[in-house]
Amino acid sequence: VRPSLIAIGIGLLVGLVILFIFEPTQAFPAMLTLLMGGFNGGLRGIGDMLYYATPIILTGLAVAFAFKTGLFNIGASGQMMLGAYTAIHVGVLWDLPAPFHWIVAIIMGKIAGGLWALIPGLLKVISNVNEVVASIMMNYVAGHLVILLIKNNVFNVLQARSLNVKPSAQLPLLDMIFTGSSVNIGIIIAVLVAIGTHILIHRTTLGFSLRASGFSMDGSTYAGMNTRANVVIAMTYSGMLAGLAGGLAYLVIGKTMPTAFGIFAEGFDGISVALLGLGEPIGALFAGLFLSHLRSGGFYMQLYDFVPEIIDIIIAVIIYVTAISAAIQLFFDRRRKARAEKKDLKASTEGAES
């Protein structure tokens, strides 16, 4: 927790300095607006902040889960694309009553993301292909494949985008609480999935096996664990989380996928969330909420003479400092452990001599 808090403090301080450089008279009010985040807009602002946090939390969970198992899934963006397209496909072309329609769409999107992540997992265990290279290349394949699928199946010719999902496939809104906002039950699902992932990784035999494989592949193999299967399971589950993010993000009437090539930014935001959350599922949950909170504050900063892109600079500083502070803390922990071992060895030697 300490590295993340230090990083956040330094990032905000750097942001304040940047605001002073560009517009000193408005720096403090703008920073206060930034820190208020979604609260600037009342209940509606909070609801919108939670809506935008949902896919970021889940892609952060996807990357964090892979981290805990010794893998770096940088393909969350592509997995999210396939999950989003599949959910839209079910939401547009299938005829099911609510709530079964959106439930099936979510499940199918989750499966699609998992199958897309399965490919780099298999490449790693079969041919020892680095998952970073394989998964990032799969992002570009996914981008072009989704465009082809949209044009052949759910294409809106007039708008050059996918069609809207049917009302029965729309996620139920939470507008009774957050009036006028876009938030839906996706945020509840994201929180439950984060808790479930934490339990899986820390409280189950499978989770122990996955973490052991990530800590030491050779040691786990020697202990009799099926490390090759663990790699495939970890990548598939990570992809399922990213696919779920895509489904929850696009099962909304009015939100459609364009046919212009682009990589989902939420997939790369997931890397930031996982780093800020120190690779822990619960950490990713709070980091995703915090990142969305800052982005909301950046939107309201337009009330002053600042552009919301200032948030990207602050977030970048926070992520860099998180990585550096974690490395520094790891260095001192190792030094402390080495000194303790040396002290114990000296004490035992002196005891043996006496």
Side-chain angles (χ1 to χ4, degrees), residues 328-342:
I328 293 173
Q329 182 171 325
L330 180 62
F331 171 77
F332 282 114
D333 287 343
R334 288 180 176 177
R335 285 282 301 272
R336 196 179 302 112
K337 184 179 179 181
R339 284 197 299 267
E341 290 176 351
K342 187 176 180 179

Side-chain angles (χ1 to χ4, degrees), residues 94-105 166-170:
W94 291 24
D95 289 315
L96 293 171
F100 300 106
H101 201 171
W102 59 264
I103 292 175
V104 172
K166 296 177 180 177
S168 57
Q170 182 182 20

